[in-house]
Amino acid sequence: MKRIAIDPRPDWQATAERYGFRFHSVHGEPYWDESAYYAFSLSQIERDIEAPTRELHQMAMSLVEEIVASEELLTKLAIPRHYWNWIAESWRHRQPHLYGRMDLVYDGVGPAKLYELNYDTPTSIYEAAFFQWIWLEEQQRRGVLDAALDQYNQLQELLILGFATIGKYLRRPFYFAAVRGSLEDQGTIEYLRDCAVQAGVHGELIAIEDIGLSRRGSFTDLHDKVIGSLFKLYPLEHLFTDDYGPHLPRSGLQLIEPPWKAVLSNKGIMPLLWQRYRGHPNLLPAYFDEQPGDALPAGWVRKPLFSREGANVHIALPSGEHVRSPGRYTQCPVIRQAFHPLPRFAGGYPLIGSWVVGDTPAGMGMREDATLITRDTSRFVPHVIE
Amino acid sequence: MKRSRTASLVVMGLSPLLLTACDDAQKSQQAFTTLGNCIAAGVPESSCERAYAQAAAQAPALAPHYVTRGQCAQDYDEDSCQENVAAAGSPVWSPAMNGFLIGRVIQGGATGYYPAGPVFRKRDDTNYSPHYGSVYAGGTGGWRSVPSEEAVGDGDTVGRGGFGRGGGEGGEGGEGGHGG
C-alpha cells in the first residue's frame, strides 16, 4: 500500500460535470482528489480487504435473526417499539437489500479493522463505482498510468446485476428519494437510478420532502399515485422519528434498504459483533457504554448509536489527549470502541470504504481526512492494484 | 481483472434522451395455473419451470396471513385455505397458490420472460399477486400489459412534507466515511 502523487487530469472538472458529478468540490475545495492515488498489491486487496469483507458481512448477517426477535436487543439499539414488528416481518420475508459499505482501517500490513457498518444509507458509491473507474481508464488511455494496472471495483456491474435481481420483487411504481437540498445525495440517487435503468428496472426520482400521505395511510408521489417501492437515501432512524414515520408499518410501502437494515446500520452492532465473535482479527473490542457521562479512559472512542458523517465522535488518545467532533447526536445512547488509529500518509489519514452489493464484496473507495475522524469534508482519493 | 469491464451512464450526465428509449419496452404479464398452460402459451419451457419453482417456493411467505380459517375464507376459496407452516410462532391460515405469474418484456426485438411470483385466487374470481396487487385473472386471455398505474390504486393525498426533517433538524441523509 503506497500513496503516489500524480498530476490531476487538466480537464477533470469538466469531465466530472459531463458525467453528472456535480458535488466534485465542497466549498471550493476538491472533494474528488486525483492529485494522488493509493496503490495496492493484488494479495493486499484479496487477502486483507475482499476476504475479510465477505466474512464480516456474513458475521453481521448472522446476527439479524436474533436481534429482530429480541425485545432486549432492539431496546439496546434504541429502535422505537412501534417499528419492531415491521422490522421483524421484513426480515422474515427476506425483503431484498441492495448494498452496504463497511469502513476498514488498513495500513498495508496488519489485519484490517472494522470501524463500522454503513448498511442503510452509505454514500460515495458514485465516486467509487463510476468516477474512479473513469479516472483509471482515462489515465491509462492518455499513457499516464500503466495499462496493466487494475482496480478493486466491480461495483457498477454488480449494482446492475443487483437491480436486475431485486427488480422482480419490487412493488411498482418504484421511486428513488433523497433530501432535496443535498447535491451529493441527489447525485447518488441519480447514479443508482441509472444502474437500475441499465438493469431494465424503471425508477423515478422524488425529493423525500415531497412524499405525500394518503387518507388510507399509503404514500404518494407528486401525481398522487401510490408509491410501491422506495429506495431512500435517508436514514431509517430519521424516517422513524419524522411525522409520517408511524404510518410506515401499515402503509404497504416497500423500502430499499429494507427495515431490517435498521439493526445493522446502528453502531450497536459493533458491541454485538464483539460479543459473538470476540477476538476476531478484523474486529475491535466494543461495548455498550452504559455510563455516557463518565470520563472516557485513554485508548477508547465513544460514538453515538446513530451518528452520521462522523458526528459526535469522541476519541481519548492513548496519550491522554482528547479529540472530539461536533454534531447533533448528543442525546443518543453511545458505544465504546477500542482506539485503533488510521494510518498516516502524506495526504492525511485514509479510511477504506469496502462495498458489499447484495451479499458480494464488490469494490472499494478511499477517503482521506486531515484528522483522525473521517467526516463529510474528507476527500475521495482513487486507488489502483499493481 | 477486479474491475467492471465497462461502466457507462444512460440517464445521468449528458444523455437524458436514452431514458425514453428504455421506456419503449412493452411489459405485459400473464398468470398460469399449470406448466402445461405456460408452455402452450409459447413461453420457453425453462422459463415456465423457473417461474413455477420460484413462485411455489415464495408462496408460503408471500401469501396473505389470517388468524383463522374463517377469516381466510372470507377472501379466498375456503378449500384453498390451509394452515401456513412457513410462519413462525402462532399458527396462521393462508390460501394455497393458485398459479404463477410470468412477466414478458419486449424490447428492441428481443423478448424476455421473468418470474413474477405466485398468484392466489380470490372469491370474486380475481387474482391477487403479492408483487403487483390485483392482477388479471383470465385463464386464456393472453398477455395483458401492465402500466404502472394498474399495479396500484389512486392515492388520496391528504398531506406532504412529513418526511425529511431528519429527526427534527434537517440535514443530509447519506452517510460518508467515519473514523474514530
Side-chain angles (χ1 to χ4, degrees):
Chain A
M1 178 180 180
K2 291 174 292 195
R3 186 183 195 276
I4 301 170
I6 183 175
D7 284 335
R9 291 166 291 171
D11 55 350
W12 75 268
Q13 281 160 315
T15 306
E17 276 153 33
R18 193 169 73 240
Y19 286 117
F21 190 3
R22 291 175 295 150
F23 54 104
H24 59 70
S25 299
V26 179
H27 309 307
E29 296 292 317
Y31 158 64
W32 168 264
D33 183 357
E34 56 176 73
S35 66
Y37 62 93
Y38 283 86
F40 295 84
S41 69
L42 183 60
S43 70
Q44 284 176 326
I45 292 293
E46 292 189 332
R47 179 195 63 213
D48 295 343
I49 305 295
E50 186 181 28
T53 296
R54 179 177 288 111
E55 191 177 348
L56 288 165
H57 176 73
Q58 286 164 357
M59 286 157 57
M61 294 290 284
S62 76
L63 297 183
V64 178
E65 179 91 17
E66 181 190 349
I67 300 172
V68 301
S70 162
E71 298 200 354
E72 187 199 339
L73 292 176
L74 290 165
T75 305
K76 264 203 140 69
L77 297 181
I79 294 172
R81 178 181 291 268
H82 181 73
Y83 302 99
W84 289 357
N85 197 42
W86 179 58
I87 289 169
E89 283 291 300
S90 77
W91 173 251
R92 203 161 63 76
H93 290 155
R94 296 295 188 277
Q95 282 186 11
H97 60 126
L98 180 67
Y99 69 163
R101 190 194 77 225
M102 54 182 79
D103 287 340
L104 300 174
V105 195
Y106 180 60
D107 60 7
V109 183
K113 299 285 186 185
L114 176 66
Y115 266 5
E116 58 193 47
L117 300 177
N118 299 305
Y119 263 39
D120 177 27
T121 58
T123 56
S124 73
I125 185 79
Y126 169 85
E127 302 89 298
F130 184 74
F131 206 66
Q132 174 175 238
W133 190 95
I134 292 282
W135 166 81
L136 178 57
E137 195 75 9
E138 286 203 350
Q139 292 291 42
Q140 289 177 325
R141 209 179 315 134
R142 295 174 188 196
V144 179
L145 288 176
D146 190 322
L149 295 176
D150 199 0
Q151 193 172 70
Y152 175 38
N153 182 10
Q154 283 151 342
L155 281 160
Q156 177 152 340
E157 270 178 14
L158 289 173
L159 284 168
I160 293 171
L161 187 65
F163 276 114
T165 308
I166 69 179
K168 51 182 171 281
Y169 302 105
L170 293 174
R171 296 196 194 109
R172 303 302 202 273
F174 177 39
Y175 271 87
F176 289 84
V179 171
R180 191 202 317 277
S182 167
L183 212 55
E184 180 191 353
D185 291 359
Q186 289 292 332
T188 300
I189 61 170
E190 279 174 32
Y191 173 65
L192 289 170
R193 178 177 66 154
D194 202 293
C195 292
V197 166
Q198 293 186 51
V201 176
H202 182 73
E204 298 284 343
L205 301 177
I206 189 169
I208 195 101
E209 295 91 340
D210 283 341
I211 292 173
L213 177 69
S214 80
R215 202 174 299 283
R216 286 167 298 171
S218 49
F219 292 108
T220 56
D221 68 7
L222 286 170
H223 305 293
D224 225 14
K225 233 159 55 178
V226 173
I227 300 172
S229 312
L230 186 71
F231 176 96
K232 37 115 240 112
L233 193 65
Y234 184 78
L236 282 163
E237 72 265 16
H238 290 175
L239 289 176
F240 294 168
T241 53
D242 275 345
D243 290 348
Y244 286 172
H247 295 279
L248 279 166
R250 300 177 67 93
S251 66
L253 180 67
Q254 183 182 355
L255 293 180
I256 304 286
E257 298 297 307
W260 57 262
K261 279 289 186 92
V263 308
L264 294 183
S265 61
N266 187 301
K267 304 285 181 290
I269 196 71
M270 302 309 298
L272 295 177
L273 277 168
W274 183 249
Q275 277 173 22
R276 214 54 45 84
Y277 298 97
R278 195 184 185 86
H280 188 283
N282 301 114
L283 291 179
L284 294 169
Y287 304 92
F288 287 99
D289 192 342
E290 314 288 355
Q291 307 297 335
D294 286 6
L296 187 64
W300 290 89
V301 181
R302 190 174 264 157
K303 297 176 176 183
L305 290 187
F306 298 121
S307 165
R308 305 273 161 163
E309 304 285 6
N312 298 99
V313 173
H314 174 187
I315 305 177
L317 295 170
S319 65
E321 192 190 338
H322 290 257
V323 181
R324 286 186 177 84
S325 63
R328 58 192 170 95
Y329 300 93
T330 50
Q331 298 301 315
C332 114
V334 292
I335 64 156
R336 268 187 209 188
Q337 190 177 53
F339 175 70
H340 185 86
L342 288 167
R344 175 98 213 221
F345 284 81
Y349 300 92
L351 178 68
I352 290 178
S354 182
W355 290 89
V356 176
V357 175
D359 297 299
T360 307
M364 73 181 197
M366 302 190 65
R367 292 165 41 126
E368 261 183 7
D369 203 274
T371 72
L372 282 171
I373 301 175
T374 308
R375 297 179 53 82
D376 54 0
T377 50
S378 60
R379 290 161 291 105
F380 190 102
V381 182
H383 81 273
V384 302
I385 304 174
E386 287 184 332
Chain B
M1 189 151 106
K2 292 196 83 70
R3 68 182 190 277
S4 302
R5 277 160 307 209
T6 61
S8 60
L9 300 175
V10 298
V11 199
M12 197 171 178
L14 267 193
S15 44
L17 291 179
L18 282 168
L19 184 59
T20 15
C22 293
D23 271 343
D24 288 345
Q26 291 176 31
K27 293 175 194 158
S28 55
Q29 63 189 17
Q30 187 168 177
F32 300 101
T33 49
T34 66
L35 276 175
N37 293 150
C38 181
I39 295 161
V43 182
E45 193 169 340
S46 60
S47 298
C48 292
E49 283 168 357
R50 195 157 57 95
Y52 175 81
Q54 280 199 14
Q58 294 170 357
L62 293 180
H65 289 178
Y66 295 91
V67 179
T68 67
R69 183 174 187 176
Q71 284 168 354
C72 176
Q74 283 177 7
D75 292 336
Y76 294 87
D77 186 357
E78 184 157 6
D79 291 341
S80 82
C81 288
Q82 56 192 11
E83 208 167 325
N84 189 335
V85 292
S90 50
V92 297
W93 293 80
S94 296
M97 176 173 116
N98 177 254
F100 57 100
L101 202 60
I102 287 194
R104 184 177 70 169
V105 179
I106 302 176
Q107 190 171 19
T111 304
Y113 297 93
Y114 57 92
V119 293
F120 304 93
R121 184 77 157 189
K122 300 192 79 164
R123 285 185 56 173
D124 62 4
D125 281 345
T126 60
N127 273 341
Y128 166 71
S129 151
H131 295 310
Y132 292 98
S134 182
V135 296
Y136 179 56
T140 54
W143 297 95
R144 166 101 170 202
S145 67
V146 275
S148 55
E149 302 85 65
E150 198 174 332
V152 290
D154 277 337
D156 186 8
T157 306
V158 292
R160 296 192 189 280
F163 284 135
R165 292 171 58 236
E169 293 173 53
E172 297 192 1
E175 183 174 22
H178 306 181

